[in-house]
Amino acid sequence: MAYTPELSQKSSCTLRRIAWALNIPMTQAIERVFEHIPKMLDKNKVCGGCKDKTKCNECSFNQIENKGGSIYYGVTRKCTEETA
């Protein structure tokens, strides 16, 4: 791992509860979160903002079928006519 990011108290609390629900350690729970998020976010938006095009072969956004979500002020939600 390149570095260990610090989680806020709220994020740590949320991750802990996800880990408890899945009956796995928090380190594995965060991996599951990162496996799931690319299925929800807009690949074009993420790839368009990418600053390291040398890692595309390793990137989850390049390997998972995209479901057409969008990134809007840090919140993930499905695009609708009202939000598009």
Side-chain angles (χ1 to χ4, degrees):
M1 176 186 279
Y3 67 95
T4 305
E6 288 190 35
L7 298 175
S8 68
Q9 184 65 29
K10 183 177 180 179
S11 294
S12 180
C13 180
T14 300
L15 180 61
R16 185 174 300 111
R17 276 140 187 85
I18 292 169
W20 287 340
L22 298 174
N23 198 29
I24 59 176
M26 287 175 63
T27 52
Q28 291 178 16
I30 200 165
E31 289 292 328
R32 298 269 183 99
V33 169
F34 283 120
E35 289 168 3
H36 187 69
I37 286 178
K39 297 174 186 175
M40 299 170 21
L41 298 179
D42 181 356
K43 173 185 174 175
N44 294 326
K45 181 79 171 179
V46 173
C47 293
C50 180
K51 296 180 182 181
D52 185 2
K53 304 293 186 186
T54 67
K55 301 292 185 188
C56 293
N57 289 336
E58 301 171 40
C59 181
S60 295
F61 289 97
N62 227 8
Q63 300 168 6
I64 294 177
E65 179 183 339
N66 188 259
K67 301 296 182 192
S70 68
I71 299 173
Y72 184 77
Y73 295 106
V75 176
T76 304
R77 63 182 182 182
K78 290 286 186 184
C79 288
T80 64
E81 289 181 16
E82 295 173 2
T83 61

